Amino acid sequence: MIKSIKKTMLIGVAALTLAACSSKDEESDTASATASTELEGSVLIDGSGTVYPLMAKLAETYMVEEQEGVSVEVSRAGTSAGFKKFLVKDGTDFNDASRKIKDEESQAAEDAEIEVKELKLALDGLTFVVNKDNDWVDQLTPEQLISIFKADSDVTKWSDLDPSWPDEEIKAMGPNENHGTYEFFYEKVLEEQDLKPSVNLQQDYSTLVTLVSEDKNGIAFFGYGYYAGNQEKLQAVPVDFGEGPVEPSLETIAEDGKYATFTRPVFTYLNVGHAEDKPQVLDYAKYVLENANKMAGETGFAPIPESESKENLDFLNTLSDK
Amino acid sequence: MLHTRQPSSPSRIRFRLLADRAAKLVFGAAALFGIVIMGILLARITSEGLSWLSLDFLTGRFSTSPEKAGIMGAVLGTFWLLAVVVPVTMIVGIGSAVYLELYSKNGKIRTFIQTNIANLAGVPSIVYGILGLTVFVRVLGFGSVVLAGGLTLSLLILPIVIVAAQEALRSVPSQLGDASYALGGSKWQTIQSVILPVALPSIMTGAILALSRAIGETAPLVVLGIPALLIPFPGGILDRFTVLPMQIYYWTLDAALVADYAHLAAAASIVLLISLFLLNGSAIYLRNKYSMKA
């Protein structure tokens, strides 16, 4: 019996040693390389859950088709939570964001001596969804939407919006403060007016989809992609920006589309220092800019004009010349 | 002394019989509850996931396309995690149990350690995650690698392993140790060649049950920052990793985007459940086999 204890320990020690050896060769990612050579090492990405599907698709195709030796790892803590991991020494290489970087975050970057470059990836339409059985809402104006969510308003029932609508409580929901989607809504739509305390704020988009699809009086907002994948469970609310109701779609949320008022760009922020030090980070950054438009559609985003990615690409090319 | 108790009236007796039957019903329902829930769970995940189980799924790499996605990365992640958790919990767990049961004297220090271990066993797993993030990932600078995850999970299950090992050591008949001393054996010789071998099956049973808990944990690993997309297989304990429960968690989240992810989550749940049944089964087998000999 004592032999089996010794055996267990031996196996354990052997495993530790083996593991220590095998991972050493992966740490040497300092080899300088040009874009065409085989790269290795890892690229760490965190941030927005809204941007995640697009970034995950890009990362997978990059690893499968371009650089098999590079491990691109994508997490999804949310834009704000992601920035906290990005703006520290030895933090992540990229932070996906569904809003622009805030002043205090730029300040934090300066304090930590991190040079940050904003890379615009695609366009997303803030989509308001209601239950499939909701047969009364055929369109809403931005003002009506604001009155549903803001604290300082008398609208609590559907009948408060239109007397012919049911005399039932509106169940308003949305993503919580960790999400750039929340902040875009709060800053750009509500113009920083407080939300009703009754608004149900959730961490996960999947929860919102379930909640609205099960509650006839539910209404929630999130990125277009989450609606696009759930069209059989939810219906999008057409919004009347003054020229008749517009339903969000890949065409209307595009640059200068009719839904543009509720359209926002999504970004990824690059740690420029990391891109200069690690060739795989720079190479991946270029790949992202060159291919984001191709993969935007299938993940529920509208493409951005070529000229904008071109500008950022030129910037990245100056880095590789250094 | 006078007999004060009156003979029971027939209606009292009927009431008691009724209460008896009601109690049986209530407790029977309570016992059934677990089985029913288990049945619903199994029925649901098999109906959702069984048709997605295939060799390609088991051996494939992670992918964002549901039909191409596999779980080998997560399985290997769990394997490397165990390569850390097993030695650490065995050495530290059995070591502390031996010290507490066989070396330390009854006293304040022993009570102090014992109380602490009991308290640690009640700490929520997410708190261990925060501890792991601070100590292993940040301060010691390991990053979110297998080693950091393994040490975190080791801390999580150590109290369970220690308590189980203590119970096992305590149940070794004292005559065995006394006989060894009578033959002139030293304390370490006695522990090493008499007490530990007798206690080992029960220690293993406890340890395996604790390990199966470690394999199923998600909360501490979420805090450590396990990536949602990780394609290369982990090749050692200093590599970044993901594990089955994390994969299930992320696929469940993403079912909101692509409905087929729900099937992947269910299929991965089947794999996780089967491995946990096997582990728990082996613990029960060990216990039965050796308790009969004793």
Side-chain angles (χ1 to χ4, degrees), chain B residues 231-284:
Chain B
I231 294 182
F233 292 157
I237 61 166
L238 294 178
D239 284 352
R240 291 166 63 90
F241 72 109
T242 189
V243 290
L244 272 179
M246 292 296 302
Q247 202 57 71
I248 295 169
Y249 170 67
Y250 283 130
W251 270 330
T252 313
L253 287 190
D254 281 345
L257 277 172
V258 180
D260 278 346
Y261 284 146
H263 298 292
L264 292 178
S269 304
I270 296 176
V271 176
L272 182 63
L273 271 180
I274 291 176
S275 24
L276 290 181
F277 284 149
L278 286 177
L279 261 182
N280 290 354
S282 67
I284 293 168

Side-chain angles (χ1 to χ4, degrees), chain B residues 73-196:
Chain B
V75 171
L76 283 172
T78 299
F79 171 79
W80 284 113
L81 205 61
L82 285 179
V84 175
V85 176
V86 171
V88 170
T89 50
M90 288 313 242
I91 294 167
V92 181
I94 299 178
S96 1
V98 166
Y99 175 77
L100 287 173
E101 282 304 310
L102 303 170
Y103 283 102
S104 75
K105 302 203 167 55
N106 278 323
K108 277 201 181 127
I109 298 179
R110 188 177 173 210
T111 323
F112 179 71
I113 299 179
Q114 199 74 61
T115 318
N116 268 303
I117 292 173
N119 282 334
L120 281 178
V123 172
S125 59
I126 191 132
V127 176
Y128 283 101
I130 299 169
L131 177 84
L133 177 69
T134 318
V135 178
F136 302 127
V137 178
R138 298 264 166 84
V139 177
L140 295 178
F142 294 158
S144 315
V145 297
V146 177
L147 184 60
L151 289 176
T152 307
L153 291 179
S154 301
L155 290 181
L156 175 74
I157 63 167
L158 257 179
I160 312 172
V161 175
I162 295 174
V163 171
Q166 277 186 287
E167 292 287 337
L169 291 172
R170 225 174 287 153
S171 66
V172 175
S174 60
Q175 303 95 295
L176 293 179
D178 294 342
S180 164
Y181 290 130
L183 289 171
S186 71
K187 186 145 193 173
W188 171 235
Q189 281 177 320
T190 307
I191 294 171
Q192 187 193 18
S193 42
V194 178
I195 300 180
L196 270 186

